[in-house]
Amino acid sequence: MPTPVKHVTSAAAEAAAGRDALAALRRDCAGMLPHWRVPPADEAPAAGARPLHGVTVPERTARLLRGMSEYGD
């Protein structure tokens, strides 16, 4: 009968994986940089949020998000 393999990670391996993930995120962001528009400092902000067309959110999810301080009241 084969011996089961246990997955063991060290703190050093986890830290290295975190650095790799951050580096990948930075590369992805740098690649998107030409697509982002930065408005001039004197430009007026947008007139507020516009409703999204064709996007539906279940009421249960909307209630959950309204209850979160980051997204709701």
Side-chain angles (χ1 to χ4, degrees):
M1 177 177 240
T3 306
V5 177
K6 294 182 181 178
H7 181 72
V8 179
T9 59
S10 67
E14 289 177 6
R19 284 191 301 274
D20 291 344
L22 181 57
L25 177 61
R26 287 180 176 164
R27 279 191 304 276
D28 292 345
C29 290
M32 288 302 297
L33 189 60
H35 303 283
W36 293 334
R37 179 183 170 275
V38 178
D42 60 344
E43 184 176 309
R50 296 183 303 264
L52 299 174
H53 298 286
V55 176
T56 58
V57 178
E59 181 57 32
R60 181 177 171 193
T61 303
R63 281 195 315 268
L64 175 69
L65 292 174
R66 274 195 297 268
M68 300 172 112
S69 61
E70 297 89 358
Y71 303 108
D73 298 327

